[in-house]
Amino acid sequence: MNQNPGYGQSAAGSGQFTDTSAFSQPAELTPELQQRLKDPFDNPTEYHKYSDDYSKVLPWLKLPEYKIPFEPARTEKQMLKRSYSIGGACVLLNFLSVSIAAVILMLAIGAVIKAINPSVSFDDIENYFTSSSLMVSLNMLLYLLANVLFAKVGLKWAKLSSQPMLKPENGFNWKYAFQYCLIGLFLWIISVVLATGVEYILDALEWSVSPPDIEEDLNTPLGIVITTVYSCIIAPITEEIFYRGMVMKVLSKSSQRFAIFASAMFFGLGHGNVAQFILAFLLGIFMAHIDLKHNSILPSIIVHMFINTFVTITNALSDNAAISGIWFLAIIVGAIIGFVLLIVFRRNDKLPATTPAQTRRGFAVAKNSVAFIASVIVLSVVMVINTIAS
């Protein structure tokens, strides 16, 4: 057992916590110490350039003789729980702010329309919202603002820098981008198969796995253009800024593996339906991995744009049987190549593992964060309600 005084540990059995002022003088940042601060758990499977300085959580790391105990003490848990609470709170606030703002704006616009033309019924107003470009415009604007705003809030709240977000490392180039997009295509195929299987089960319960389609009644050229721009450009950029740029970064204090799966879970739940949860979760794991590898969110932005654009094109070609057949063959070929590339990628770049000490600092601590658990519960309930109500 580690005998050095640490967070929550008492010195010489006095029952008093160690005075941190004794370590206020910064140690000389030698290469060995820098490595120690970035890799405090001696985990060679993690991407240490991505890691934050763990002495912000545990300043005793700067003492050469200090060793991290297996069980985190009280103050270290509090610091980690604070990070997990920030991530969970920003996810929940993002969802609630968009939902509440959308309702307020729609009520306000409806009231204005009713005031201008009292003879208009509420059904007419609802049809106007769904068939015009107004609904998709509000959706685009609210999510754009919320994703960027709460990404900045979360990073500032956690005292983290966003500088490396768009500066990829480890030789990232268009060859990597092309390979990652094909892997993403394969994962999309897998998610469709899984969603289809889940749909058979839910159909028996008279529930639906399909997402609510706000574009179903959309018939204006402007609305179609806005939807396409949002789906293919704005959503991929702003969602990656939020989920991989902030959420994963904030949750990766003690374990990159925990941050990968937790951020992918939030990314899936944020879509609000089972079908998109499956896709977003699978893709979220992969996109988090490549962002860790290259210490940037640019790789996941490119993959996200590719998948959304690919789905948009696929939907647009669905009415033409001849072109759809050729497109389907191209999808199969691309997915097969993506599967091979995924095997090669996983062989060379495995997901970060978790050391025994890290297992005591990931979900073991996050489950005690009210904000983290509340965001999981609220988003899960919304997804279930959307499924039952569909």
Side-chain angles (χ1 to χ4, degrees), residues 87-142:
C90 287
V91 169
L92 188 56
L93 288 171
N94 189 344
F95 169 75
L96 292 177
S97 65
V98 170
S99 301
I100 294 172
V103 172
I104 293 175
L105 286 174
M106 289 175 64
L107 290 174
I109 294 172
V112 171
I113 294 175
K114 191 70 174 176
I116 295 174
N117 188 355
S119 63
V120 174
S121 68
F122 288 106
D123 287 339
D124 291 334
I125 295 175
E126 183 179 358
N127 290 334
Y128 172 72
F129 275 122
T130 56
S131 62
S132 72
S133 61
L134 185 58
M135 179 70 80
V136 292
S137 299
L138 287 177
N139 184 69
M140 178 184 69
L141 179 62
L142 291 176

Side-chain angles (χ1 to χ4, degrees), residues 77-261:
K77 283 184 178 179
Q78 290 174 343
M79 293 293 288
L80 291 173
K81 189 164 73 170
R82 177 180 180 274
S83 292
Y84 303 151
S85 295
I86 290 172
C90 287
V91 169
L92 188 56
L93 288 171
N94 189 344
F95 169 75
L96 292 177
S97 65
V98 170
S99 301
I100 294 172
V103 172
I104 293 175
L105 286 174
M106 289 175 64
L107 290 174
I109 294 172
V112 171
I113 294 175
K114 191 70 174 176
I116 295 174
N117 188 355
S119 63
V120 174
S121 68
F122 288 106
D123 287 339
D124 291 334
I125 295 175
E126 183 179 358
N127 290 334
Y128 172 72
F129 275 122
T130 56
S131 62
S132 72
S133 61
L134 185 58
M135 179 70 80
V136 292
S137 299
L138 287 177
N139 184 69
M140 178 184 69
L141 179 62
L142 291 176
Y143 275 107
L144 187 158
L145 293 175
N147 285 334
V148 175
L149 172 63
F150 286 107
K152 289 184 174 293
V153 168
L155 289 171
K156 186 173 182 179
W157 193 357
K159 299 179 180 178
L160 294 170
S161 171
S162 60
Q163 291 304 313
M165 289 173 60
L166 293 174
K167 298 178 181 179
E169 300 174 353
N170 293 334
F172 180 77
N173 52 33
W174 288 107
K175 180 180 178 181
Y176 272 117
F178 180 71
Q179 293 174 352
Y180 293 159
C181 287
L182 289 180
I183 292 173
L185 175 60
F186 168 73
L187 294 175
W188 178 81
I189 294 291
I190 294 299
S191 73
V192 170
V193 173
L194 291 174
T196 302
V198 174
E199 185 173 12
Y200 283 124
I201 298 174
L202 294 180
D203 280 345
L205 301 173
E206 297 184 353
W207 295 347
S208 173
V209 71
S210 302
D213 189 1
I214 64 172
E215 304 170 40
E216 190 176 44
D217 299 319
L218 192 62
N219 52 29
T220 65
L222 178 59
I224 295 173
V225 169
I226 292 174
T227 301
T228 302
V229 171
Y230 174 71
S231 298
C232 301
I233 300 176
I234 295 177
I237 294 175
T238 59
E239 287 179 2
E240 293 310 309
I241 288 173
F242 181 72
Y243 287 103
R244 251 66 63 181
M246 187 280 291
V247 175
M248 184 173 73
K249 189 72 174 178
V250 169
L251 298 181
S252 66
K253 284 287 187 180
S254 63
S255 170
Q256 291 180 1
R257 189 180 185 88
F258 168 73
I260 287 173
F261 284 93

Side-chain angles (χ1 to χ4, degrees), residues 1-7 9 35-43 46 52-73 76-77 80 253-254 355-361:
M1 180 180 293
N2 176 35
Q3 298 299 319
N4 297 314
Y7 273 124
Q9 296 175 301
Q35 174 68 18
R36 175 183 170 85
L37 300 182
K38 290 278 191 175
D39 183 22
F41 299 100
D42 194 22
N43 186 345
E46 291 195 331
D52 195 29
D53 182 350
Y54 201 70
S55 67
K56 295 176 182 178
V57 175
L58 200 59
W60 279 266
L61 274 176
K62 293 184 178 180
L63 293 175
E65 69 277 10
Y66 183 81
K67 293 183 179 179
I68 293 181
F70 174 71
E71 288 284 350
E76 184 184 0
K77 283 184 178 179
L80 291 173
K253 284 287 187 180
S254 63
T355 66
Q358 285 176 303
T359 63
R360 308 306 301 163
R361 290 162 170 83

Side-chain angles (χ1 to χ4, degrees), residues 304-332:
H304 200 156
M305 282 184 171
F306 170 79
I307 293 298
N308 284 16
T309 302
F310 162 78
V311 172
T312 299
I313 294 174
T314 300
N315 291 336
L317 297 177
S318 60
D319 293 333
N320 189 312
I323 296 179
S324 293
I326 298 173
W327 185 250
F328 177 75
L329 290 176
I331 291 173
I332 297 302

Side-chain angles (χ1 to χ4, degrees), residues 45 47 257 260-261 285-286 288-289 292 346 349-353:
T45 69
Y47 298 91
R257 189 180 185 88
I260 287 173
F261 284 93
I285 294 172
F286 174 66
H289 190 180
L292 282 170
R346 290 297 191 210
D349 296 276
K350 299 183 184 302
L351 282 170

